[in-house]
Amino acid sequence: MKTGIIGARGAGKSTVFHALTGLAPIPGTADGKARARPGQIKVADPRLDFLETAYGSKKKVPVELTVLDFAPNPKEQKEGAALDVSLIPLIRDLDALLIVIPQFGGLSRELAPTVERIESELVFADFDQAERRMERIKKDRSASDFEKAALEKVIKWLEDGKPLRLMELSAQELQTFSSFGFLSRKPALAVVNCEMEAAASALTNAELDVIHSGGLEVFRLAAAFESELWELDAAGQSEMLREAGLEAPARDRLITALYEHLGLITFYTAGEPEAHGWSLRRGETALEAAAEIHSDIARGFIRAEVVSYEDFAALKSDARVKEAGKLRLEGKDYVMRDGDIIHIRFKV
Ligand SMILES: Nc1nc2c(ncn2[C@@H]2O[C@H](COP(=O)(O)OP(=O)(O)OP(=O)(O)O)[C@@H](O)[C@H]2O)c(=O)[nH]1
Ligand SMILES: [Mg+2]
């Protein structure tokens, strides 16, 4: 799962990237090469911590997400632009976007209009792409009528300035557009990058309305403050957090919010060697879970032994889970649920 950080020049994108990953941003490259810097973030997960303890696992492997920061391109981004449009080809194959809205220092951009401006850039890029595809298939006699009709619908929707996130598309239409990488359909989270003092304050209802009506979520993050935490050891971090009146860094909550917004669920494999968290999209099956672990396990899938996290947490051991009749045998088509602990029997 890859999430790109986008927004205006100097909005604090690299600071958000550092706050989330602990990694420094890449220096600017004007030539467009090597503009993306990926960083891994571990998703904090109290359930995995519990499994690690219950199984006495030697190792803990949490779910990871990838976020990308992009070096600015001074040649292409106009002063005051909502978004660096030269980035568009680089964000098409990502799974989600974090839109950074600056509200620190003198940069107090208003949330709703800033998000709307960025959204309209995304909508415009999609419109442009759909139109170009339409031009091409008009000349191509082998193109399907289905694609043409679907494109017409999409173009009309985008002409009204609405993001594709809000449009209902059939499974077949989604299939048709699967290689398009429509930007305005990507799940997106607006990150209001503010000063520490403002981080806990609530957003207004009017702001939330705009955000939610676009199918987005919003989060406040004091990115510079969170970023400084990485410079300290554990004791220093706790002290800095305590002085700020916080229990934990907000980055964990942001990562969880992003995770949920992406429609991801977590399942686990656990034992003495390791307690391992894995992610799946909601609705995926036991076979897809097996493939996530290893292609051999999917190929040789026989059946899955599944216990829900709640049942395991109450009973605390495999033996008691079995005794209580809480261990289920499921086949390939079983739809995985968030928190399932799974053991797959397979033969290769
Ligand atoms: N006080 C304060 N300063 C911030 C905050 N976030 C970013 N800054 C400062 O704002 C400036 C720009 O931040 P960056 O994170 O580099 O912004 P960016 O969006 O990556 O900028 P470009 O990549 O050049 O478009 C830096 O000097 C940061 O230190 C914040 O939350 N509070
Ligand atoms: Mg930057």
Side-chain angles (χ1 to χ4, degrees), residues 305-309 311-312 321 326-328 339-342:
E305 294 172 355
V306 185
V307 56
S308 72
Y309 175 79
D311 286 341
F312 183 85
V321 163
K326 296 293 185 186
L327 191 70
R328 287 173 280 130
D340 278 346
I341 304 163
I342 189 168

Side-chain angles (χ1 to χ4, degrees), residues 25-180:
I26 29 172
T29 58
D31 59 2
K33 265 189 235 141
R35 290 188 67 194
R37 159 135 211 200
Q40 300 295 116
I41 43 182
K42 294 180 170 42
V43 180
D45 184 349
R47 295 188 301 198
L48 186 63
D49 298 340
F50 180 87
L51 293 179
E52 183 192 21
T53 312
Y55 280 97
S57 311
K58 293 200 181 75
K59 208 169 126 198
K60 178 177 80 170
V61 188
V63 167
E64 287 192 353
L65 296 176
T66 303
V67 285
L68 295 108
D69 185 31
F70 299 95
N73 183 346
K75 275 200 291 208
E76 297 201 33
Q77 192 167 14
K78 290 192 210 83
E79 201 55 47
L83 184 71
D84 176 355
V85 290
S86 71
L87 271 184
I88 282 169
L90 303 179
I91 57 179
R92 277 217 192 280
D93 66 344
L94 302 182
D95 301 296
L97 302 171
L98 282 183
I99 299 173
V100 179
I101 320 288
Q103 286 191 357
F104 58 85
L107 276 172
S108 215
R109 300 254 171 82
E110 275 185 79
L111 175 64
T114 311
V115 169
E116 278 171 340
R117 284 181 63 206
I118 290 178
E119 279 272 77
S120 54
E121 292 287 354
L122 302 180
V123 165
F124 183 76
D126 287 347
F127 175 76
D128 192 44
Q129 194 197 16
E131 280 251 301
R132 267 188 284 149
R133 175 72 191 154
M134 193 60 143
E135 288 304 312
R136 224 172 308 135
I137 63 174
K138 271 185 187 156
K139 290 183 205 135
D140 176 3
R141 258 182 258 152
S142 67
S144 77
D145 287 340
F146 181 83
E147 182 178 359
K148 225 168 130 185
L151 262 180
E152 252 161 36
K153 255 172 58 184
V154 158
I155 289 171
K156 201 163 172 312
W157 185 273
L158 292 165
E159 263 172 353
D160 291 340
K162 291 181 288 190
L164 292 174
R165 220 178 284 118
L166 301 176
M167 186 175 182
E168 264 190 62
L169 293 168
S170 69
Q172 200 186 347
E173 285 166 337
L174 284 174
Q175 182 60 35
T176 305
F177 297 134
S178 62
S179 64
F180 282 54

Side-chain angles (χ1 to χ4, degrees), residues 210-342:
V210 173
I211 296 288
H212 292 152
S213 68
L216 302 172
E217 268 310 324
V218 63
F219 204 91
R220 275 184 196 271
L221 184 78
F225 172 88
E226 297 270 332
S227 186
E228 280 170 38
L229 287 174
W230 288 101
E231 316 301 326
L232 305 170
D233 59 12
Q237 287 192 22
S238 322
E239 192 179 331
M240 189 166 159
L241 287 167
R242 202 176 47 243
E243 276 170 14
L246 296 175
E247 264 172 44
R251 69 165 177 269
D252 288 347
R253 273 187 294 128
L254 193 158
I255 294 163
T256 307
L258 174 65
Y259 194 74
E260 281 166 8
H261 196 56
L262 279 166
L264 297 175
I265 58 167
T266 307
F267 74 94
Y268 304 94
T269 51
E272 207 197 305
E274 63 176 36
H276 200 138
W278 308 85
S279 66
L280 278 183
R281 287 172 202 272
R282 200 171 287 284
E284 286 186 321
T285 62
L287 187 63
E288 284 161 313
E292 196 55 36
I293 301 168
H294 200 286
S295 57
D296 283 348
I297 300 184
R299 214 171 322 123
F301 188 103
I302 301 170
R303 58 167 196 239
E305 294 172 355
V306 185
V307 56
S308 72
Y309 175 79
E310 287 72 26
D311 286 341
F312 183 85
L315 297 161
K316 297 188 180 64
S317 88
D318 283 347
R320 280 191 292 270
V321 163
K322 227 176 214 164
E323 235 172 67
K326 296 293 185 186
L327 191 70
R328 287 173 280 130
L329 292 182
E330 304 284 2
K332 285 180 181 177
D333 298 330
Y334 166 70
V335 175
M336 296 288 291
R337 297 194 205 132
D338 186 48
D340 278 346
I341 304 163
I342 189 168

Side-chain angles (χ1 to χ4, degrees), residues 7-16 69-72 77 104-105 107 193-195 221-225:
R9 259 327 276 281
K13 301 181 294 296
S14 297
T15 309
V16 168
D69 185 31
F70 299 95
Q77 192 167 14
F104 58 85
L107 276 172
N193 178 18
C194 57
E195 303 293 0
L221 184 78
F225 172 88

